[in-house]
């Protein structure tokens, strides 16, 4: 049932292009517009929304962090993202015009379920993004957008994450579409790019051998740091989470702009630092800033592992290891930038002799608070 792979995680990483394509299936019409009729919240209700609040845990929370960038950019609706386990304990401000999005692969995570119950008690509509048909979270929500990743067995979430991102982009673009923001042309262009993205994920998967070799060479390290900016920041957090749960290594993700506010003190000789570089097109200011971060940490002896867009020559002189990813629109970059980090963590776990599919102390779905 592992389809010839040693671990479910490897199989699930490989299934990502299909999972992504399946999640888009039937949701883009022939004219290139989104059709999310299945989301039983009407366009007029969606036009009333004045705030979006996303609640989720772990990897699903990271998908939510990325969704915030997309939602605020394409819809101009303020969006907050909160760990579901914190949400209801701080008396959040919610009402009938708040749209709460609960993201959960399993649909059974107790923290997320309690957060959505709290939101509904305040009169907010809840939209679930979920991978498991008929599970509790979608059953208790006002509406659901299913991800079509298929069953995810490995405890470490991979294909569910990529499909959660797709679902978040769909919701953001759809909200933008029904509300008619000034980004109409961009929204149409991104919908086109989104329909190509599964092929790009496939291309990344085809180039992973050097990433595996690199991971094996780092098996005796104690710490790996991850840096990113903008949507690359949640990608850095996700890379660090994968490494913690699979390799049992100390791993931390930082927003690169925070380095000088503390974390740069952690940089010492030979510590591996993975840097997710934004596209040199689009938000080029951020690109240039992160290139100077890479220079700074390398000057202090860090071993730099740079994930950058193909053709980004500016990073080459400062990278000890380069991982190229295809060019995508800025907001879609996490779709391709996360994949090498999944492969990296999985290979490190194997090299350290850890149980890949069933890491110690963890359960696939966390049904206690
Ligand atoms: O089933 P859920 O998406 O609600 O699960 C949330 C987290 O428990 C989950 O993403 C966890 O962080 C994964 N093990 C990460 O790989």
């Amino acid at each position: 049932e592992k389809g010839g792979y040693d671990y479910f995680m490897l199989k699930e990483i490989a299934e990502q292009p299909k999972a992504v394509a399946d999640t888009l299936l039937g949701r883009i019409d022939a004219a290139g517009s989104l059709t999310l009729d299945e989301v039983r919240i009407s366009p007029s209700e969606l036009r009333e929304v004045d705030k979006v609040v996303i609640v989720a845990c772990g990897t699903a929370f990271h998908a939510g962090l990325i969704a915030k960038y997309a939602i605020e950019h394409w819809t101009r609706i303020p969006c907050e993202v909160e760990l579901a386990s914190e949400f209801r304990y701080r008396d959040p401000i919610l009402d009938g015009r708040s749209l709460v999005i609960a993201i959960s692969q399993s649909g059974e995570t107790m923290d997320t379920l309690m957060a959505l119950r709290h939101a509904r008690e305040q009169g907010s509509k809840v939209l679930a993004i979920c991978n498991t048909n008929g599970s509790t979270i979608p059953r208790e929500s006002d509406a659901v957008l299913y991800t079509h990743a298929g069953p995810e067995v490995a405890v470490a979430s991979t294909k569910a994450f990529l499909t959660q991102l797709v679902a978040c982009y769909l919701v953001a673009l759809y909200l933008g579409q029904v509300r008619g923001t000034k980004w109409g042309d961009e929204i149409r262009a991104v919908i086109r790019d989104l329909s190509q993205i599964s092929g790009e994920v496939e291309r990344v998967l085809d180039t992973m051998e050097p990433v595996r070799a690199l991971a094996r060479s780092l098996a005796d390290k104690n710490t790996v740091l991850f840096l990113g900016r903008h949507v690359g920041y949640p990608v850095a957090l996700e890379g660090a989470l994968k490494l913690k749960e699979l390799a049992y290594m100390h791993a931390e993700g930082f927003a690169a702009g925070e380095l000088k506010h503390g974390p740069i003190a952690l940089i010492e000789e030979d510590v591996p630092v993975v840097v997710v570089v934004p596209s040199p097109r689009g938000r080029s200011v951020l690109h240039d800033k992160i290139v100077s971060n890479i220079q700074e940490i390398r000057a202090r002896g860090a071993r730099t592992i740079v994930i950058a867009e193909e053709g980004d020559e500016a990073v080459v002189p400062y990278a000890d290891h380069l991982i190229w990813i295809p060019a995508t629109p800025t907001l879609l970059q996490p779709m391709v930038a996360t994949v090498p980090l999944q492969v990296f963590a999985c290979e490190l776990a194997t090299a350290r002799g850890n149980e890949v599919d069933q890491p110690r102390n963890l359960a696939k779905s966390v049904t206690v608070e």
Side-chain angles (χ1 to χ4, degrees):
E1 52 184 12
K2 292 183 193 142
Y5 292 91
D6 288 343
Y7 306 108
F8 279 106
M9 184 177 177
L10 287 172
K11 172 170 177 269
E12 289 161 5
I13 288 174
E15 283 170 350
Q16 291 184 112
K18 180 173 187 310
V20 165
D22 287 352
T23 300
L24 287 164
L25 206 68
R27 290 169 173 168
I28 302 175
D29 69 17
S33 296
L34 296 180
T35 46
L36 292 189
D37 301 342
E38 58 185 295
V39 173
R40 298 178 313 259
I41 302 181
S42 69
S44 63
E45 281 173 301
L46 289 176
R47 278 191 282 270
E48 291 297 302
V49 170
D50 66 359
K51 173 170 151 182
V52 176
V53 180
I54 302 177
V55 289
C57 304
T59 287
F61 172 71
H62 297 153
L65 289 176
I66 293 164
K68 174 185 165 81
Y69 291 85
I71 290 173
E72 291 196 337
H73 176 68
W74 287 322
T75 73
R76 312 309 300 151
I77 308 171
C79 174
E80 292 169 18
V81 193
E82 186 142 355
L83 291 166
S85 56
E86 288 292 322
F87 181 68
R88 71 192 173 114
Y89 297 104
R90 66 163 178 94
D91 200 9
I93 302 166
L94 296 169
D95 60 29
R97 296 185 68 183
S98 320
L99 174 68
V100 173
I101 304 179
I103 309 176
S104 175
Q105 186 285 128
S106 61
E108 301 296 347
T109 299
M110 187 54 75
D111 289 313
T112 311
L113 179 62
M114 297 314 257
L116 88 81
R117 282 187 185 155
H118 184 76
R120 292 196 75 197
E121 280 160 17
Q122 316 302 305
S124 304
K125 288 251 183 274
V126 176
L127 167 67
I129 290 179
C130 184
N131 195 47
T132 312
N133 261 304
S135 55
T136 313
I137 288 173
R139 268 207 325 270
E140 292 205 18
S141 299
D142 296 281
V144 52
L145 184 64
Y146 279 109
T147 50
H148 296 307
E152 191 181 64
V153 178
V155 165
S157 187
T158 54
K159 60 177 181 169
F161 177 68
L162 253 61
T163 61
Q164 283 161 354
L165 288 180
V166 169
C168 288
Y169 294 130
L170 289 174
V171 170
L173 293 163
Y174 186 66
L175 274 170
Q177 186 181 288
V178 299
R179 294 164 70 100
T181 62
K182 66 170 178 171
W183 301 115
D185 289 342
E186 184 179 315
I187 288 176
R188 277 185 291 280
V190 174
I191 294 174
R192 276 196 301 277
D193 288 323
L194 199 54
S195 53
Q196 307 296 315
I197 202 84
S198 115
E200 305 295 356
V201 174
E202 182 96 62
R203 282 221 291 135
V204 178
L205 285 170
D206 288 342
T207 59
M208 286 297 96
E209 205 34 60
V211 174
R212 286 190 195 98
L214 171 65
R216 289 192 292 271
S217 76
L218 299 175
D220 61 347
K221 296 281 173 204
N222 299 317
T223 296
V224 181
L225 304 177
F226 294 78
L227 297 178
R229 276 194 92 133
H230 192 259
V231 289
Y233 168 43
V235 172
L237 295 177
E238 174 62 6
L241 177 62
K242 287 279 108 61
L243 208 61
K244 284 174 207 162
E245 66 180 336
L246 291 158
Y248 315 151
M249 286 165 92
H250 170 240
E252 273 196 77
F254 300 108
E258 274 294 295
L259 261 186
K260 56 186 175 301
H261 299 290
I264 199 161
L266 290 169
I267 305 295
E268 55 187 13
E269 206 51 47
D270 222 31
V271 62
V273 184
V274 179
V275 189
V276 184
V277 180
S279 164
R281 305 161 297 115
R283 285 176 180 59
S284 53
V285 190
L286 284 186
H287 171 268
D288 297 351
K289 290 191 167 165
I290 223 165
V291 174
S292 13
N293 290 142
I294 304 174
Q295 267 174 276
E296 275 160 18
I297 56 172
R298 195 154 186 259
R300 288 167 177 77
R303 170 128 49 126
T304 56
I305 302 166
V306 177
I307 301 183
E309 191 175 294
E310 280 158 355
D312 184 357
E313 295 302 323
V315 299
V316 177
Y318 314 111
D320 293 310
H321 305 275
L322 261 169
I323 301 171
W324 294 118
I325 51 174
T328 60
T330 306
L331 286 161
L332 302 190
Q333 198 202 47
M335 295 288 297
V336 288
T338 308
V339 175
L341 302 181
Q342 300 167 338
V343 172
F344 182 71
C346 184
E347 190 69 24
L348 257 164
T350 315
R352 287 163 72 94
N354 297 353
E355 174 53 64
V356 172
D357 288 334
Q358 199 52 256
R360 67 185 182 198
N361 308 340
L362 288 169
K364 182 63 181 163
S365 69
V366 184
T367 52
V368 288
E369 244 198 294

